Amino acid sequence: DSAPSPSSVTVDESGQVAGASGIGTSSLLVTSTECFLSGCTEEDAVLRYNGSTGTYIGVHIPSIQDPWAMAIHPIRESLLVVSRADSKVREYDAQTGTLVRVLVSPGTEGLNAPQGMALSPTGRLFLASNQTLGQLDKFNGILEFDSTTGAFVSNLVDGGSSVSETCSNPICLRGPNAMMVAPNGILYVISAINDSVQDYTLAGTFL
């Protein structure tokens, strides 16, 4: 798929995206100084705002397919962006928006249509992988990767098949979506199909 050029993303002085009425925001990331919004335009972009005043700064990343989740790396302070469309995790310079590298490649250990990402304070990277109908070779659950090298670490949480309720946990993790690592070290994951928030230890144990 061809990516749009930066000039194709039109935003006015206030940060309102031209012609984007009804276009939803996929992800919101707030740091101590800035605010990033992703998926705000038909072209798919990451917009940047002042975190204190809300003042629009500019289009930070102009061309990325279906950006679904964002996070600041706790050690390198780079910006990680998950693309649901091509199942990649890209690393950007958080200040300039310059692409550094593709950290996690699509299809790694069955990674498919990731809709959630979380980082622990030590830099452990967790991705929510979604298996859809006809994709039984894809992993449904939470995968862990090395956030420095992008290497696969483990199938942290096996969500079972998306078309059945067979899994090792009391409630299958179906449609894993947004997630976070809380200060208490618990991984909270939204199970969209089950309409629930599920809690796990960082070893993958269901709580």
Side-chain angles (χ1 to χ4, degrees):
D1 295 337
S2 61
S5 65
S7 60
S8 67
V9 180
T10 305
V11 183
D12 66 21
E13 294 179 349
S14 67
Q16 174 64 45
V17 180
S21 177
I23 302 299
T25 298
S26 299
S27 181
L28 167 67
L29 173 64
V30 179
T31 70
S32 59
T33 58
E34 294 164 315
C35 171
F36 299 97
L37 293 175
S38 71
C40 321
T41 74
E42 294 177 347
E43 292 85 1
D44 285 337
V46 175
L47 306 184
R48 186 180 184 183
Y49 295 81
N50 183 290
S52 299
T53 66
T55 302
Y56 173 66
I57 298 174
V59 176
H60 198 52
I61 302 172
S63 54
I64 181 170
Q65 291 182 309
D66 204 5
W68 204 259
M70 299 181 291
I72 296 294
H73 195 284
I75 300 171
R76 293 195 301 280
E77 299 184 348
S78 55
L79 175 63
L80 303 184
V81 183
V82 168
S83 172
R84 183 180 64 169
D86 61 13
S87 299
K88 293 180 181 179
V89 178
R90 294 175 174 86
E91 183 173 12
Y92 296 86
D93 184 299
Q95 296 304 311
T96 66
T98 301
L99 177 65
V100 176
R101 59 175 170 164
V102 173
L103 180 62
V104 179
S105 299
T108 305
E109 295 298 323
L111 177 65
N112 186 64
Q115 298 186 65
M117 172 173 59
L119 284 152
S120 75
T122 58
R124 294 176 66 185
L125 173 62
F126 307 104
L127 297 175
S129 180
N130 283 268
Q131 178 192 83
T132 57
L133 191 63
Q135 294 182 319
L136 298 181
D137 60 323
K138 304 299 182 182
F139 187 78
N140 189 68
I142 307 301
L143 297 170
E144 181 180 356
F145 293 85
D146 186 305
S147 68
T148 298
T149 66
F152 172 74
V153 175
S154 70
N155 295 331
L156 188 76
V157 178
D158 185 353
S161 171
S162 64
V163 293
S164 72
E165 285 290 349
T166 303
C167 62
S168 58
N169 295 317
I171 302 176
C172 289
L173 179 60
R174 300 181 66 204
N177 205 300
M179 56 184 177
M180 67 171 289
V181 177
N184 62 0
I186 301 301
L187 178 65
Y188 294 97
V189 186
I190 291 177
S191 181
I193 296 177
N194 288 331
D195 295 324
S196 63
V197 177
Q198 299 186 16
D199 308 352
Y200 299 88
T201 67
L202 295 187
T205 302
F206 180 79
L207 298 175

